[in-house]
Amino acid sequence: MINVLKVWITNITVAIFFITAVEMILPDNNMKKYAKFVLGLMLIVVIINPIMKIFNKDFDLYSYSSKATSYMESSTSVTDIKKYKDTNILNTTENFKKNLEAQCIINLQDAYPENQYNADIKINYDDKNKVFSINRVQIEIVEKGVKNIKKIEINTKSVNASKENILDGEEGEKIKRLLSSKFKISSKIITVYKVNS
């Protein structure tokens, strides 16, 4: 036990001398902080390695690091990273969509409280430029009163509601201007229509 403790203290001392020597010859630039970080990690490994062997006799830091390296270089890690990235982009797009729709409704209800509003926004992620873009904003004005029955056209590809309630007049334009200025988007991608009349 004394011999193990002696080897451990010797390793720590050698590591500290090595780290001090390297820090003395490093130039004073941005690279120095990264080098200090790596040297600090090396010192932590030297300190922790014997402690880990007390709890786990089969612990070998080299085998763990080689397993991690081989996993990172394997094709499964690339597949896992791509899958994680795709899932992350999908979740971010969905959350961005929900938050933007909620913010549209809040802004419209603050500006024009006489009606209720629904929002449907289409968002795409441009993988080449790494940006999210708003492709379409549909605002539904829900008036109080008796609902009209909407004409629905059904075909094999999709279900489309009639476009006869789209507001192209001043009421639709003021909503487009409000949203366009708030969210810095083109009014051309905003469609405003009434659900009830």
Side-chain angles (χ1 to χ4, degrees), residues 6-8 19 36 51 54 71 81-82 84 89 91 108 123 149 160:
K6 180 182 172 188
V7 170
W8 183 42
I19 289 170
K36 280 186 169 187
I51 296 171
I54 292 171
Y71 174 75
I81 290 170
K82 173 140 179 49
Y84 172 75
I89 289 171
N91 290 340
L108 288 171
I123 296 173
I149 298 173
N160 293 320

Side-chain angles (χ1 to χ4, degrees), residues 87-103 123 132:
T87 304
N88 192 20
I89 289 171
L90 185 67
N91 290 340
T92 303
T93 304
E94 194 59 35
N95 287 334
F96 182 47
K97 172 183 165 39
K98 286 178 185 175
N99 291 337
L100 195 57
E101 287 172 350
Q103 193 59 48
I123 296 173
F132 291 94

Side-chain angles (χ1 to χ4, degrees), residues 182-193:
K182 286 271 186 193
F183 300 110
K184 308 291 187 247
I185 57 175
S186 170
S187 61
K188 293 176 183 174
I189 64 170
I190 302 172
T191 306
V192 181
Y193 59 96

Side-chain angles (χ1 to χ4, degrees), residues 144-156:
K144 296 173 174 94
V146 179
K147 293 182 179 180
N148 283 344
I149 298 173
K150 288 192 275 185
K151 181 180 175 185
I152 297 183
E153 179 184 312
I154 301 175
N155 62 26
T156 57

